[in-house]
Amino acid sequence: MAKISTAEQRKRRHKRIRSRVKGKELRPRLSVFRSNQHLYAQLIDDVSGKVLASASDLKLKEKKSGIELAVSIGKALAKKAAEKNISEVVFDRG
């Protein structure tokens, strides 16, 4: 039996989680991506396939790290979501 690569495991996990989260017409999907250096968050409407709002540490003026960075990105994304009358989201842990 061949060993499944880490990338393939991630793709399978992502597909499995997305199948449960996708299709929620009333609430957009919150996708969070953390690279080695940066943190990104997006609100995505799966029905139209468009990004409604996004935030990342690249756009922040202050340089923070760890939890402080995550909180500031969350506040920035919440502010943008409130402007578009979005109050509830589905968290995509993929």
Side-chain angles (χ1 to χ4, degrees), residues 40-88:
Y40 308 89
Q42 295 179 328
L43 293 178
I44 304 167
D45 180 11
D46 286 320
V47 176
S48 64
K50 294 185 179 181
V51 175
L52 302 174
S54 65
S56 71
D57 62 342
L58 298 174
K59 297 177 184 177
L60 295 177
K61 295 177 183 176
E62 304 169 359
K63 294 298 176 188
K64 299 178 182 179
S65 63
I67 295 173
E68 294 173 350
L69 177 66
V71 168
S72 61
I73 291 173
K75 286 181 181 180
L77 187 62
K79 186 176 180 181
K80 290 180 182 181
E83 292 172 359
K84 297 189 178 195
N85 295 327
I86 299 171
S87 59
E88 293 183 350

